[in-house]
Amino acid sequence: MNQTAVKDARAFAEDLGEFVKSSPSSFHTVETVRTHLKNNGYVDLCEASAWTDIAPGGRYVVCRDGSIVAFALPVDASGTTPLRVFGAHTDSPALKLKPKSSITSHGFNQVGVEVYGGALFNSFLDRDLKLAGRLVLKSGEELLVETGPYLRVPQLAVHLDRGVNRDGLKLDPQKHLQPITGLGENGEHDVLADLAQIAGVNAEDIAGYDIVTVDAQAPQLIGSRKEFLASARLDNLLSTFAGMRAMAEHECAADGPIALFVANDHEEVGSASRSGAAGPFLEDVLARLYAALGASDEERRRAFSRSIVVSSDVGHSIHPNYVERHDPANHPVAGKGPILKINADQRYATDAHGAAFWARACALARVEYQEFVSNNAMPCGSTIGPITATRLGMTTVDVGVPILSMHSCRELTAVSDPYDLYRAACAVFSPEISANI
Ligand SMILES: [Zn+2]
């Protein structure tokens, strides 16, 4: 990389850190993305209103809970104009507040939590955490709320767990992951009262909540030459940020595709929800969008058949301490560019046409990419790609950025990869490459 590129990549990584700071929960993320897109000419669409104002040349954003869709229409968009979709997800593994969450035990105030997604339990120990998410009042009004450093799950001292370094750490998610929030006697503390005070409402008015824990430490550049960004929620705010920036800067060309960005909630728990990728959100938006363009059912299906979904999520960089866990021939390395994800069992949706499209996008962006495939003895996770492909029938390719510490409370990416992913995302929307499927 030349010096300008290094500077651009570092500035982009620092912006990503700021994005993570302003997006501690999926609901905050939607608000951050929506605000950024609106500042770049996108107009809100409300699901409950008629979408009579949609017109070619317009840019729109739609939110549903912790998910968001934005699209930009070329001036000559018609019922057969295909889509270029860049997809990501807004949620991350976390501890999530239970009902009756204020507990007192032996002089300590604690909060009851359940585990959200495939969290690495140990990474939540001895880390200063905050709470973030949404409150819903009896009136139905929804408020975002975020505490400062508020809680911690203290690890048992080595003297009281003599075998831990030899035998490994064993954590019971019910007994051992309950965070402490303070000192006090029975009935004195009420986490909802604290959240209500921050939100400026009465605790008695809170009728529902979706609140998760998140690392209270700000993201920061680390390493001997600041090669890394250490941060909470890189999975998958990294892709969400890259897609949002590409979408904000995208200018539709006449005769070009419709650019669409989707970031779904609930990926970490299987995507099956009204806002998750297995739910109808994107399909609902597309049905209404094509109806507004005057498309018949047949025309919309013709458009879909020439559309492409690029589903972006983090992947595994080779770990220098565990090289044997990776495929012997495919060693993606953090800092060497985004990845194309391949899996025979369709845990990733990539097929030969999707791979060829990604190759064209990266070539246009002048981005080197790497290939990821699992060691056969280590089945990989999945992402929104195969689910979206199954729902919409569009050619889909799974891509991402190779990181370390995936599903840790604080993950690690090379500084250069998010910027390269963003450049490739810009190319995904470009009419200069053909979908050619
Ligand atoms: Zn992910």
Side-chain angles (χ1 to χ4, degrees):
M1 255 206 243
N2 65 40
Q3 278 313 306
T4 321
V6 169
K7 255 178 76 188
D8 289 349
R10 188 166 293 174
F12 190 85
E14 283 171 342
D15 288 352
L16 167 58
E18 289 301 312
F19 179 77
V20 171
K21 260 164 62 180
S22 57
S23 308
S25 73
S26 56
F27 310 104
H28 287 83
T29 307
V30 164
E31 208 37 50
T32 307
V33 172
R34 175 173 163 260
T35 303
H36 183 77
L37 291 176
K38 284 180 73 174
N39 289 340
N40 284 273
Y42 284 78
V43 175
D44 270 324
L45 290 174
C46 168
E47 285 203 276
S49 307
W51 289 5
T52 41
D53 292 339
I54 294 187
R59 295 147 79 84
Y60 306 93
V61 59
V62 197
C63 307
R64 182 186 288 187
D65 295 330
S67 300
I68 186 163
V69 172
F71 55 91
L73 303 173
V75 285
D76 56 353
S78 76
T80 54
T81 305
L83 293 150
R84 297 280 175 80
V85 179
F86 188 88
H89 68 87
T90 58
D91 60 322
S92 307
L95 305 177
K96 190 171 184 209
L97 218 58
K98 281 182 169 179
K100 296 194 178 63
S101 49
S102 303
I103 304 163
T104 304
S105 174
H106 296 85
F108 285 94
N109 295 329
Q110 293 186 273
V111 292
V113 292
E114 51 182 340
V115 177
Y116 178 87
L120 266 178
F121 292 168
N122 64 296
S123 73
F124 284 79
L125 302 180
D126 295 344
R127 199 175 292 279
D128 307 336
L129 302 169
K130 54 185 176 179
L131 293 175
R134 67 176 176 182
L135 305 174
V136 176
L137 307 184
K138 286 174 183 161
S139 64
E141 187 189 352
E142 179 179 318
L143 300 162
L144 297 183
V145 66
E146 176 185 1
T147 68
Y150 185 89
L151 64 171
R152 178 164 168 137
V153 188
Q155 186 169 355
L156 187 61
V158 71
H159 317 81
L160 306 180
D161 194 6
R162 285 289 181 192
V164 64
N165 290 328
R166 187 185 57 241
D167 305 332
L169 179 64
K170 298 215 171 44
L171 294 168
D172 175 329
Q174 180 58 43
K175 280 173 73 179
H176 301 142
L177 292 183
Q178 307 305 316
I180 60 169
T181 62
L183 299 168
E185 299 307 324
N186 242 345
E188 271 179 8
H189 108 112
D190 181 352
V191 61
L192 284 188
D194 290 347
L195 295 175
Q197 191 182 26
I198 292 166
V201 297
N202 291 323
E204 309 82 68
D205 289 336
I206 298 174
Y209 51 86
D210 296 302
I211 302 286
V212 291
T213 58
V214 63
D215 188 7
Q217 189 185 352
Q220 64 180 3
L221 300 183
I222 66 163
S224 59
R225 291 191 299 278
K226 302 259 189 282
E227 297 100 323
F228 301 111
L229 175 71
S231 168
R233 280 169 53 67
L234 290 174
D235 181 0
N236 188 15
L237 292 188
L238 192 162
S239 302
T240 302
F241 181 66
M244 176 194 80
R245 284 280 290 263
M247 196 65 193
E249 291 157 26
H250 177 67
E251 297 289 344
C252 283
D255 211 22
I258 296 169
L260 187 143
F261 170 62
V262 56
N264 287 110
D265 202 352
H266 299 145
E267 189 273 346
E268 300 293 356
V269 292
S271 294
S273 75
R274 81 180 204 104
S275 57
F281 181 39
L282 180 55
E283 212 172 332
D284 287 350
V285 170
L286 292 178
R288 298 177 73 176
L289 154 60
Y290 277 89
L293 292 175
S296 66
D297 248 17
E298 196 230 21
E299 285 171 330
R300 178 158 52 97
R301 286 181 167 83
R302 282 167 56 196
F304 280 20
S305 77
R306 293 186 298 123
S307 297
I308 287 259
V309 179
V310 175
S311 152
S312 181
D313 201 348
V314 292
H316 301 295
S317 166
I318 191 160
H319 191 308
N321 299 350
Y322 300 89
V323 173
E324 74 287 352
R325 306 287 169 105
H326 298 259
D327 179 71
N330 292 279
H331 282 175
V333 184
K336 292 269 194 312
I339 46 176
L340 172 70
K341 299 175 173 179
I342 294 156
N343 179 254
D345 286 343
Q346 291 291 296
R347 304 278 291 161
Y348 301 130
T350 305
D351 65 4
H353 280 294
F357 178 80
W358 180 243
R360 289 197 288 280
C362 288
L364 179 67
R366 296 178 197 277
V367 165
E368 301 275 339
Y369 70 92
Q370 317 177 70
E371 285 159 329
F372 174 85
V373 70
S374 288
N375 180 308
N376 293 350
M378 307 269 161
C380 61
S382 190
T383 181
I384 63 162
I387 296 166
T388 306
T390 303
R391 281 211 69 111
L392 300 177
M394 293 177 192
T395 296
T396 301
V397 53
D398 272 301
V399 306
V401 156
I403 68 165
L404 290 169
S405 315
M406 193 193 291
H407 288 193
S408 165
C409 186
R410 196 169 173 86
E411 298 168 326
L412 194 66
T413 180
V415 157
S416 57
D417 291 331
Y419 183 59
D420 282 351
L421 178 69
Y422 149 77
R423 289 164 60 222
C426 293
V428 163
F429 295 140
S430 171
E432 287 178 46
I433 47 170
S434 73
N436 218 5
I437 38 175

